[in-house]
Amino acid sequence: MRKHTGRAVAAYAIALVTVAPLLWLLLSAFRPESELYSAGWPGELTLSNVVYVLTEVPFLRYLANSAFVAITVTVIALFLHSMAAYALARLAFRGRGLAFASVVATLLISLPVILVPLFIVVRGLGMVDSYAGLIVPGLFNAFGIFLLRQFYLGVPRELEEAAHLDGCGHWRIYWHVILPLSRPMLAALAVLFFLANWNSFLWPLAVTQDESLRVVQVGIASLQGQYASKQHYVIAAAMLAAIPTVLVFLIGQRWLVASLKTTGLK
């Protein structure tokens, strides 16, 4: 009994330490400027910081841009990744192992390494300062293909063989058998993809100069330059940007944990 109590206390302590920065951010967003750096509870709470960011700064535009880019990339990427993973897991074709190894190898390459050549390609395609430039490069994610392939390797082949006996081709098997079974995994990847694209900073900073195309992270960085002496506005903007990420994680955490528990790595 004492052992379980000790574990519970340790778990709550770790959770408190993890959540404490978010709680401090939430509280600081409603502090008046004069009490921003005080350690105690503020003498009063104010909405002026949030109201200023939403009315005097085009922050709603930044939020809308990030939401549009993150949702679009997530939906298209999941569709394309699931098809690629199914082909790599189930279809027999020459060079399948090499293709999968090439996909996995891209996990070793970070964005800063390919930033310049990627920008040159995007500029050559005429996608600089456009939503296409923000969306198209983010569609490929080797981790999603890898994770879905490992999941599909664990799907019983008998289900596909039964569908094949009923006259289904690869496309119908993928659409009517594989995708319905993939919903928990796709939901978990949707959370990861949305969070990654919502928090994207380096590539949007490089590919867009138009203020109307700024995403939320670039917008916060611009606020830090414009309001260096008024950090309460920057903190309010950071709090607004964190709300969607927390909501998405809370909604999708069940599928995220389930996918990590049930997916076998073969």
Side-chain angles (χ1 to χ4, degrees):
M1 185 67 181
R2 292 181 179 179
K3 184 176 181 180
H4 292 295
T5 303
R7 288 180 178 179
V9 171
Y12 282 118
I14 294 173
L16 180 61
V17 172
T18 303
V19 176
L22 290 176
L23 298 178
W24 181 88
L25 176 66
L26 179 63
L27 184 62
S28 298
F30 298 101
R31 287 179 183 270
E33 182 180 5
S34 59
E35 300 184 38
L36 182 61
Y37 299 105
S38 61
W41 187 266
E44 61 175 336
L45 298 176
T46 177
L47 289 173
S48 59
N49 300 334
V50 176
V51 172
Y52 183 91
V53 170
L54 293 177
T55 57
E56 302 299 326
V57 179
F59 201 75
L60 288 176
R61 178 73 180 187
Y62 303 159
L63 292 172
N65 287 338
S66 286
F68 175 73
V69 171
I71 293 173
T72 303
V73 170
T74 299
V75 173
I76 298 177
L78 287 179
F79 181 63
L80 297 178
H81 290 186
S82 61
M83 287 195 296
Y86 175 66
L88 291 172
R90 286 293 194 251
L91 303 187
F93 56 90
R94 182 175 298 178
R96 183 179 66 172
L98 179 61
F100 178 65
S102 300
V103 169
V104 174
T106 61
L107 291 171
L108 303 175
I109 305 173
S110 60
L111 177 59
V113 176
I114 62 172
L115 183 63
V116 173
L118 182 60
F119 180 82
I120 293 174
V121 171
V122 170
R123 185 182 62 181
L125 295 174
M127 294 191 298
V128 174
D129 261 343
S130 68
Y131 284 111
L134 291 169
I135 292 172
V136 173
L139 294 179
F140 175 78
N141 189 307
F143 176 74
I145 297 175
F146 170 77
L147 201 63
L148 284 169
R149 175 187 176 272
Q150 301 308 120
F151 176 79
Y152 293 154
L153 288 176
V155 175
R157 286 186 176 271
E158 290 78 6
L159 297 175
E160 298 172 62
E161 293 172 355
H164 183 71
L165 291 175
D166 289 337
C168 294
H170 288 301
W171 173 254
R172 292 184 63 186
I173 292 174
Y174 161 77
W175 188 259
H176 294 289
V177 178
I178 298 299
L179 273 188
L181 294 174
S182 308
R183 287 175 183 172
M185 180 61 67
L186 292 175
L189 284 176
V191 175
L192 297 177
F193 287 175
F194 180 88
L195 294 179
N197 286 279
W198 181 271
N199 293 319
S200 179
F201 171 76
L202 184 58
W203 177 247
L205 179 65
V207 80
T208 59
Q209 298 296 325
D210 189 349
E211 185 178 0
S212 65
L213 293 174
R214 282 181 180 172
V215 296
V216 67
Q217 303 302 332
V218 178
I220 292 176
S222 67
L223 288 179
Q224 289 179 328
Q226 297 176 26
Y227 298 94
S229 61
K230 297 184 180 296
Q231 289 296 310
H232 52 294
Y233 295 147
V234 178
I235 291 176
M239 185 272 295
L240 292 173
I243 290 176
T245 63
V246 174
L247 292 178
V248 169
F249 179 77
L250 291 177
I251 293 172
Q253 64 173 334
R254 177 165 59 92
W255 293 288
L256 182 61
V257 174
S259 66
L260 296 177
K261 290 171 60 178
T262 59
T263 302
L265 301 179
K266 298 183 179 180

